[in-house]
mmCIF file of all heavy atoms in Angstrom:
data_model
loop_
_atom_site.group_PDB
_atom_site.id
_atom_site.type_symbol
_atom_site.label_atom_id
_atom_site.label_comp_id
_atom_site.label_asym_id
_atom_site.label_seq_id
_atom_site.Cartn_x
_atom_site.Cartn_y
_atom_site.Cartn_z
ATOM 1 N N ALA A 1 0.822 -1.211 0.000
ATOM 2 C CA ALA A 1 0.000 0.000 0.000
ATOM 3 C C ALA A 1 0.858 1.264 0.000
ATOM 4 O O ALA A 1 0.377 2.324 -0.396
ATOM 5 C CB ALA A 1 -0.940 -0.004 1.205
ATOM 6 N N ASP A 2 2.097 1.158 0.405
ATOM 7 C CA ASP A 2 3.004 2.302 0.396
ATOM 8 C C ASP A 2 3.351 2.749 -1.024
ATOM 9 O O ASP A 2 3.876 3.835 -1.225
ATOM 10 C CB ASP A 2 4.281 1.987 1.170
ATOM 11 C CG ASP A 2 4.949 0.705 0.707
ATOM 12 O OD1 ASP A 2 4.268 -0.343 0.715
ATOM 13 O OD2 ASP A 2 6.128 0.737 0.331
ATOM 14 N N GLU A 3 3.045 1.949 -2.020
ATOM 15 C CA GLU A 3 3.345 2.302 -3.405
ATOM 16 C C GLU A 3 2.212 3.074 -4.082
ATOM 17 O O GLU A 3 2.365 3.516 -5.221
ATOM 18 C CB GLU A 3 3.681 1.051 -4.211
ATOM 19 C CG GLU A 3 4.983 0.417 -3.768
ATOM 20 C CD GLU A 3 5.532 -0.559 -4.776
ATOM 21 O OE1 GLU A 3 5.071 -0.553 -5.940
ATOM 22 O OE2 GLU A 3 6.431 -1.319 -4.403
ATOM 23 N N LEU A 4 1.087 3.236 -3.414
ATOM 24 C CA LEU A 4 -0.011 3.996 -3.997
ATOM 25 C C LEU A 4 0.409 5.448 -4.191
ATOM 26 O O LEU A 4 1.182 5.986 -3.398
ATOM 27 C CB LEU A 4 -1.246 3.941 -3.088
ATOM 28 C CG LEU A 4 -1.918 2.581 -2.920
ATOM 29 C CD1 LEU A 4 -2.997 2.662 -1.857
ATOM 30 C CD2 LEU A 4 -2.482 2.089 -4.238
ATOM 31 N N SER A 5 -0.121 6.089 -5.216
ATOM 32 C CA SER A 5 0.197 7.501 -5.438
ATOM 33 C C SER A 5 -0.383 8.327 -4.286
ATOM 34 O O SER A 5 -1.268 7.876 -3.555
ATOM 35 C CB SER A 5 -0.383 7.974 -6.768
ATOM 36 O OG SER A 5 -1.801 8.032 -6.684
ATOM 37 N N TYR A 6 0.108 9.540 -4.154
ATOM 38 C CA TYR A 6 -0.344 10.417 -3.072
ATOM 39 C C TYR A 6 -1.849 10.671 -3.166
ATOM 40 O O TYR A 6 -2.568 10.576 -2.181
ATOM 41 C CB TYR A 6 0.429 11.740 -3.115
ATOM 42 C CG TYR A 6 0.021 12.695 -2.017
ATOM 43 C CD1 TYR A 6 0.533 12.544 -0.728
ATOM 44 C CD2 TYR A 6 -0.884 13.713 -2.258
ATOM 45 C CE1 TYR A 6 0.152 13.405 0.291
ATOM 46 C CE2 TYR A 6 -1.265 14.579 -1.248
ATOM 47 C CZ TYR A 6 -0.746 14.425 0.023
ATOM 48 O OH TYR A 6 -1.121 15.269 1.035
ATOM 49 N N ASP A 7 -2.332 10.971 -4.363
ATOM 50 C CA ASP A 7 -3.757 11.253 -4.557
ATOM 51 C C ASP A 7 -4.619 10.043 -4.198
ATOM 52 O O ASP A 7 -5.614 10.160 -3.479
ATOM 53 C CB ASP A 7 -4.014 11.678 -6.007
ATOM 54 C CG ASP A 7 -5.474 11.972 -6.263
ATOM 55 O OD1 ASP A 7 -6.052 12.790 -5.516
ATOM 56 O OD2 ASP A 7 -6.048 11.383 -7.208
ATOM 57 N N VAL A 8 -4.230 8.873 -4.677
ATOM 58 C CA VAL A 8 -4.981 7.649 -4.382
ATOM 59 C C VAL A 8 -4.942 7.358 -2.883
ATOM 60 O O VAL A 8 -5.945 6.984 -2.282
ATOM 61 C CB VAL A 8 -4.443 6.460 -5.200
ATOM 62 C CG1 VAL A 8 -5.064 5.148 -4.753
ATOM 63 C CG2 VAL A 8 -4.694 6.689 -6.692
ATOM 64 N N SER A 9 -3.794 7.559 -2.263
ATOM 65 C CA SER A 9 -3.659 7.322 -0.827
ATOM 66 C C SER A 9 -4.568 8.235 -0.019
ATOM 67 O O SER A 9 -5.224 7.796 0.929
ATOM 68 C CB SER A 9 -2.205 7.529 -0.390
ATOM 69 O OG SER A 9 -1.355 6.597 -0.996
ATOM 70 N N CYS A 10 -4.609 9.516 -0.390
ATOM 71 C CA CYS A 10 -5.486 10.471 0.317
ATOM 72 C C CYS A 10 -6.946 10.064 0.199
ATOM 73 O O CYS A 10 -7.682 10.056 1.193
ATOM 74 C CB CYS A 10 -5.308 11.882 -0.254
ATOM 75 S SG CYS A 10 -3.752 12.656 0.123
ATOM 76 N N ARG A 11 -7.351 9.722 -1.004
ATOM 77 C CA ARG A 11 -8.739 9.315 -1.220
ATOM 78 C C ARG A 11 -9.057 8.023 -0.475
ATOM 79 O O ARG A 11 -10.148 7.863 0.080
ATOM 80 C CB ARG A 11 -9.021 9.188 -2.712
ATOM 81 C CG ARG A 11 -8.990 10.556 -3.399
ATOM 82 C CD ARG A 11 -9.105 10.472 -4.881
ATOM 83 N NE ARG A 11 -10.397 9.945 -5.315
ATOM 84 C CZ ARG A 11 -10.705 9.736 -6.584
ATOM 85 N NH1 ARG A 11 -9.836 10.019 -7.541
ATOM 86 N NH2 ARG A 11 -11.883 9.246 -6.909
ATOM 87 N N ALA A 12 -8.100 7.104 -0.440
ATOM 88 C CA ALA A 12 -8.299 5.840 0.272
ATOM 89 C C ALA A 12 -8.469 6.081 1.770
ATOM 90 O O ALA A 12 -9.347 5.484 2.408
ATOM 91 C CB ALA A 12 -7.130 4.896 0.019
ATOM 92 N N GLU A 13 -7.648 6.953 2.334
ATOM 93 C CA GLU A 13 -7.771 7.233 3.763
ATOM 94 C C GLU A 13 -9.127 7.861 4.086
ATOM 95 O O GLU A 13 -9.781 7.482 5.055
ATOM 96 C CB GLU A 13 -6.655 8.152 4.244
ATOM 97 C CG GLU A 13 -6.761 8.405 5.744
ATOM 98 C CD GLU A 13 -5.978 9.600 6.229
ATOM 99 O OE1 GLU A 13 -5.520 10.404 5.416
ATOM 100 O OE2 GLU A 13 -5.837 9.721 7.464
ATOM 101 N N LYS A 14 -9.559 8.823 3.272
ATOM 102 C CA LYS A 14 -10.855 9.467 3.503
ATOM 103 C C LYS A 14 -11.991 8.458 3.418
ATOM 104 O O LYS A 14 -12.900 8.458 4.260
ATOM 105 C CB LYS A 14 -11.077 10.604 2.510
ATOM 106 C CG LYS A 14 -10.220 11.807 2.790
ATOM 107 C CD LYS A 14 -10.419 12.888 1.755
ATOM 108 C CE LYS A 14 -9.419 14.013 1.988
ATOM 109 N NZ LYS A 14 -9.429 14.989 0.911
ATOM 110 N N LEU A 15 -11.949 7.590 2.413
ATOM 111 C CA LEU A 15 -12.988 6.572 2.279
ATOM 112 C C LEU A 15 -12.955 5.615 3.460
ATOM 113 O O LEU A 15 -13.997 5.252 4.009
ATOM 114 C CB LEU A 15 -12.824 5.815 0.965
ATOM 115 C CG LEU A 15 -13.859 4.722 0.704
ATOM 116 C CD1 LEU A 15 -15.273 5.317 0.654
ATOM 117 C CD2 LEU A 15 -13.534 3.979 -0.577
ATOM 118 N N PHE A 16 -11.764 5.207 3.876
ATOM 119 C CA PHE A 16 -11.640 4.326 5.030
ATOM 120 C C PHE A 16 -12.257 4.963 6.270
ATOM 121 O O PHE A 16 -13.042 4.327 6.977
ATOM 122 C CB PHE A 16 -10.169 3.988 5.291
ATOM 123 C CG PHE A 16 -9.976 3.189 6.545
ATOM 124 C CD1 PHE A 16 -10.132 1.816 6.543
ATOM 125 C CD2 PHE A 16 -9.645 3.815 7.749
ATOM 126 C CE1 PHE A 16 -9.974 1.079 7.707
ATOM 127 C CE2 PHE A 16 -9.487 3.086 8.911
ATOM 128 C CZ PHE A 16 -9.648 1.714 8.889
ATOM 129 N N GLN A 17 -11.927 6.223 6.536
ATOM 130 C CA GLN A 17 -12.461 6.914 7.716
ATOM 131 C C GLN A 17 -13.982 6.971 7.654
ATOM 132 O O GLN A 17 -14.652 6.790 8.672
ATOM 133 C CB GLN A 17 -11.879 8.334 7.811
ATOM 134 C CG GLN A 17 -10.384 8.395 7.999
ATOM 135 C CD GLN A 17 -9.897 7.742 9.285
ATOM 136 O OE1 GLN A 17 -10.641 7.549 10.230
ATOM 137 N NE2 GLN A 17 -8.621 7.379 9.316
ATOM 138 N N HIS A 18 -14.523 7.197 6.469
ATOM 139 C CA HIS A 18 -15.975 7.272 6.310
ATOM 140 C C HIS A 18 -16.634 5.901 6.519
ATOM 141 O O HIS A 18 -17.608 5.786 7.259
ATOM 142 C CB HIS A 18 -16.316 7.819 4.925
ATOM 143 C CG HIS A 18 -17.768 7.790 4.606
ATOM 144 N ND1 HIS A 18 -18.675 8.650 5.186
ATOM 145 C CD2 HIS A 18 -18.483 6.987 3.782
ATOM 146 C CE1 HIS A 18 -19.881 8.378 4.732
ATOM 147 N NE2 HIS A 18 -19.793 7.373 3.881
ATOM 148 N N LEU A 19 -16.089 4.866 5.884
ATOM 149 C CA LEU A 19 -16.710 3.540 5.929
ATOM 150 C C LEU A 19 -16.528 2.837 7.266
ATOM 151 O O LEU A 19 -17.406 2.082 7.689
ATOM 152 C CB LEU A 19 -16.156 2.652 4.809
ATOM 153 C CG LEU A 19 -16.514 3.041 3.388
ATOM 154 C CD1 LEU A 19 -15.790 2.140 2.403
ATOM 155 C CD2 LEU A 19 -18.020 2.972 3.178
ATOM 156 N N GLN A 20 -15.413 3.057 7.933
ATOM 157 C CA GLN A 20 -15.161 2.319 9.175
ATOM 158 C C GLN A 20 -16.085 2.759 10.301
ATOM 159 O O GLN A 20 -16.243 2.050 11.278
ATOM 160 C CB GLN A 20 -13.694 2.397 9.575
ATOM 161 C CG GLN A 20 -13.215 3.749 9.966
ATOM 162 C CD GLN A 20 -12.822 3.795 11.430
ATOM 163 O OE1 GLN A 20 -12.630 2.780 12.062
ATOM 164 N NE2 GLN A 20 -12.723 4.984 11.956
ATOM 165 N N ARG A 21 -16.730 3.925 10.159
ATOM 166 C CA ARG A 21 -17.730 4.333 11.161
ATOM 167 C C ARG A 21 -18.949 3.424 11.127
ATOM 168 O O ARG A 21 -19.638 3.269 12.117
ATOM 169 C CB ARG A 21 -18.171 5.770 10.895
ATOM 170 C CG ARG A 21 -17.121 6.777 11.252
ATOM 171 C CD ARG A 21 -17.656 8.183 11.104
ATOM 172 N NE ARG A 21 -16.597 8.990 10.527
ATOM 173 C CZ ARG A 21 -16.733 9.812 9.505
ATOM 174 N NH1 ARG A 21 -17.896 9.997 8.955
ATOM 175 N NH2 ARG A 21 -15.702 10.471 9.056
ATOM 176 N N CYS A 22 -19.211 2.814 9.964
ATOM 177 C CA CYS A 22 -20.385 1.945 9.792
ATOM 178 C C CYS A 22 -20.131 0.516 10.250
ATOM 179 O O CYS A 22 -21.063 -0.253 10.412
ATOM 180 C CB CYS A 22 -20.792 1.910 8.321
ATOM 181 S SG CYS A 22 -21.082 3.514 7.608
ATOM 182 N N ASN A 23 -18.878 0.147 10.416
ATOM 183 C CA ASN A 23 -18.555 -1.247 10.698
ATOM 184 C C ASN A 23 -17.340 -1.316 11.624
ATOM 185 O O ASN A 23 -16.257 -0.889 11.264
ATOM 186 C CB ASN A 23 -18.257 -1.980 9.387
ATOM 187 C CG ASN A 23 -17.961 -3.444 9.588
ATOM 188 O OD1 ASN A 23 -18.119 -3.985 10.669
ATOM 189 N ND2 ASN A 23 -17.528 -4.090 8.527
ATOM 190 N N SER A 24 -17.524 -1.882 12.781
ATOM 191 C CA SER A 24 -16.404 -1.995 13.721
ATOM 192 C C SER A 24 -15.840 -3.418 13.766
ATOM 193 O O SER A 24 -14.960 -3.704 14.560
ATOM 194 C CB SER A 24 -16.860 -1.577 15.124
ATOM 195 O OG SER A 24 -17.880 -2.439 15.568
ATOM 196 N N THR A 25 -16.340 -4.301 12.903
ATOM 197 C CA THR A 25 -15.895 -5.698 12.950
ATOM 198 C C THR A 25 -15.107 -6.120 11.707
ATOM 199 O O THR A 25 -14.980 -7.293 11.446
ATOM 200 C CB THR A 25 -17.100 -6.639 13.112
ATOM 201 O OG1 THR A 25 -17.963 -6.469 11.988
ATOM 202 C CG2 THR A 25 -17.840 -6.367 14.400
ATOM 203 N N TYR A 26 -14.600 -5.177 10.948
ATOM 204 C CA TYR A 26 -13.837 -5.512 9.749
ATOM 205 C C TYR A 26 -12.503 -6.138 10.130
ATOM 206 O O TYR A 26 -12.017 -5.985 11.233
ATOM 207 C CB TYR A 26 -13.619 -4.265 8.878
ATOM 208 C CG TYR A 26 -12.831 -3.185 9.567
ATOM 209 C CD1 TYR A 26 -11.450 -3.151 9.487
ATOM 210 C CD2 TYR A 26 -13.467 -2.201 10.313
ATOM 211 C CE1 TYR A 26 -10.717 -2.165 10.130
ATOM 212 C CE2 TYR A 26 -12.752 -1.214 10.951
ATOM 213 C CZ TYR A 26 -11.381 -1.203 10.855
ATOM 214 O OH TYR A 26 -10.661 -0.232 11.494
ATOM 215 N N ARG A 27 -11.906 -6.845 9.160
ATOM 216 C CA ARG A 27 -10.592 -7.458 9.347
ATOM 217 C C ARG A 27 -9.736 -7.055 8.161
ATOM 218 O O ARG A 27 -9.890 -7.585 7.072
ATOM 219 C CB ARG A 27 -10.739 -8.970 9.441
ATOM 220 C CG ARG A 27 -11.592 -9.369 10.653
ATOM 221 C CD ARG A 27 -11.915 -10.818 10.656
ATOM 222 N NE ARG A 27 -10.780 -11.561 11.178
ATOM 223 C CZ ARG A 27 -10.738 -12.873 11.254
ATOM 224 N NH1 ARG A 27 -11.745 -13.593 10.838
ATOM 225 N NH2 ARG A 27 -9.678 -13.478 11.748
ATOM 226 N N LEU A 28 -8.849 -6.098 8.384
ATOM 227 C CA LEU A 28 -8.025 -5.536 7.317
ATOM 228 C C LEU A 28 -6.568 -5.514 7.752
ATOM 229 O O LEU A 28 -6.242 -5.051 8.839
ATOM 230 C CB LEU A 28 -8.490 -4.109 6.986
ATOM 231 C CG LEU A 28 -7.650 -3.317 5.987
ATOM 232 C CD1 LEU A 28 -7.664 -3.976 4.611
ATOM 233 C CD2 LEU A 28 -8.170 -1.888 5.905
ATOM 234 N N VAL A 29 -5.709 -6.009 6.862
ATOM 235 C CA VAL A 29 -4.268 -5.973 7.079
ATOM 236 C C VAL A 29 -3.673 -5.169 5.933
ATOM 237 O O VAL A 29 -3.962 -5.428 4.763
ATOM 238 C CB VAL A 29 -3.662 -7.395 7.088
ATOM 239 C CG1 VAL A 29 -2.150 -7.342 7.209
ATOM 240 C CG2 VAL A 29 -4.267 -8.225 8.194
ATOM 241 N N ILE A 30 -2.864 -4.162 6.271
ATOM 242 C CA ILE A 30 -2.190 -3.350 5.265
ATOM 243 C C ILE A 30 -0.694 -3.609 5.409
ATOM 244 O O ILE A 30 -0.112 -3.311 6.449
ATOM 245 C CB ILE A 30 -2.502 -1.852 5.453
ATOM 246 C CG1 ILE A 30 -4.012 -1.608 5.364
ATOM 247 C CG2 ILE A 30 -1.752 -1.023 4.417
ATOM 248 C CD1 ILE A 30 -4.420 -0.180 5.679
ATOM 249 N N LEU A 31 -0.098 -4.174 4.367
ATOM 250 C CA LEU A 31 1.325 -4.487 4.397
ATOM 251 C C LEU A 31 2.096 -3.460 3.590
ATOM 252 O O LEU A 31 1.748 -3.147 2.456
ATOM 253 C CB LEU A 31 1.584 -5.877 3.818
ATOM 254 C CG LEU A 31 0.943 -7.036 4.582
ATOM 255 C CD1 LEU A 31 1.142 -8.329 3.845
ATOM 256 C CD2 LEU A 31 1.513 -7.125 5.974
ATOM 257 N N CYS A 32 3.148 -2.932 4.195
ATOM 258 C CA CYS A 32 3.990 -1.918 3.566
ATOM 259 C C CYS A 32 5.452 -2.267 3.805
ATOM 260 O O CYS A 32 5.784 -2.951 4.762
ATOM 261 C CB CYS A 32 3.706 -0.537 4.161
ATOM 262 S SG CYS A 32 2.007 0.015 3.960
ATOM 263 N N SER A 33 6.295 -1.746 2.945
ATOM 264 C CA SER A 33 7.729 -1.934 3.103
ATOM 265 C C SER A 33 8.241 -1.009 4.198
ATOM 266 O O SER A 33 7.881 0.171 4.248
ATOM 267 C CB SER A 33 8.439 -1.623 1.783
ATOM 268 O OG SER A 33 9.830 -1.584 1.989
ATOM 269 N N CYS A 34 9.111 -1.521 5.042
ATOM 270 C CA CYS A 34 9.693 -0.681 6.091
ATOM 271 C C CYS A 34 10.589 0.396 5.486
ATOM 272 O O CYS A 34 10.854 1.408 6.120
ATOM 273 C CB CYS A 34 10.446 -1.521 7.112
ATOM 274 S SG CYS A 34 11.848 -2.415 6.461
ATOM 275 N N GLU A 35 11.038 0.200 4.255
ATOM 276 C CA GLU A 35 11.873 1.193 3.588
ATOM 277 C C GLU A 35 11.070 2.414 3.145
ATOM 278 O O GLU A 35 11.632 3.448 2.841
ATOM 279 C CB GLU A 35 12.569 0.559 2.383
ATOM 280 C CG GLU A 35 13.545 -0.529 2.794
ATOM 281 C CD GLU A 35 14.054 -1.320 1.616
ATOM 282 O OE1 GLU A 35 13.680 -1.020 0.455
ATOM 283 O OE2 GLU A 35 14.840 -2.255 1.848
ATOM 284 N N ARG A 36 9.739 2.277 3.084
ATOM 285 C CA ARG A 36 8.883 3.387 2.659
ATOM 286 C C ARG A 36 7.879 3.735 3.753
ATOM 287 O O ARG A 36 6.756 4.132 3.483
ATOM 288 C CB ARG A 36 8.159 3.022 1.363
ATOM 289 C CG ARG A 36 9.104 2.847 0.192
ATOM 290 C CD ARG A 36 8.377 2.446 -1.078
ATOM 291 N NE ARG A 36 7.160 3.201 -1.309
ATOM 292 C CZ ARG A 36 7.053 4.280 -2.067
ATOM 293 N NH1 ARG A 36 8.120 4.753 -2.668
ATOM 294 N NH2 ARG A 36 5.902 4.889 -2.241
ATOM 295 N N GLU A 37 8.297 3.613 5.004
ATOM 296 C CA GLU A 37 7.384 3.835 6.121
ATOM 297 C C GLU A 37 6.934 5.281 6.271
ATOM 298 O O GLU A 37 6.002 5.557 7.016
ATOM 299 C CB GLU A 37 7.993 3.334 7.422
ATOM 300 C CG GLU A 37 9.206 4.109 7.881
ATOM 301 C CD GLU A 37 9.777 3.553 9.164
ATOM 302 O OE1 GLU A 37 9.016 3.056 9.998
ATOM 303 O OE2 GLU A 37 11.002 3.612 9.321
ATOM 304 N N HIS A 38 7.566 6.203 5.555
ATOM 305 C CA HIS A 38 7.168 7.606 5.650
ATOM 306 C C HIS A 38 6.276 8.037 4.499
ATOM 307 O O HIS A 38 5.963 9.217 4.368
ATOM 308 C CB HIS A 38 8.404 8.505 5.743
ATOM 309 C CG HIS A 38 9.217 8.221 6.962
ATOM 310 N ND1 HIS A 38 8.753 8.457 8.237
ATOM 311 C CD2 HIS A 38 10.441 7.669 7.107
ATOM 312 C CE1 HIS A 38 9.672 8.083 9.112
ATOM 313 N NE2 HIS A 38 10.701 7.591 8.459
#
C-alpha cells in the first residue's frame, strides 16, 4: 500500500475513515515496506 500515489492514498484514507464508522468488525491488514514507512 506504500506504493499507492499520493492522490490515491489520500482518497483511500478518507474513504476508510468514512466507511469504518459503519462497521467496527472488519478485518483488514495493510502491508507496507519498512523502507517506505514515511
Side-chain angles (χ1 to χ4, degrees):
D2 53 304
E3 293 196 15
L4 294 172
S5 70
Y6 180 81
D7 180 54
V8 171
S9 296
C10 290
R11 292 173 65 183
E13 182 197 13
K14 288 177 186 172
L15 180 61
F16 175 84
Q17 297 298 340
H18 173 73
L19 292 175
Q20 67 114 16
R21 287 186 220 132
C22 305
N23 182 9
S24 62
T25 61
Y26 62 89
R27 298 172 81 183
L28 174 64
V29 176
I30 301 174
L31 297 174
C32 300
S33 170
C34 63
E35 295 170 2
R36 295 178 44 95
E37 67 181 327
H38 298 294

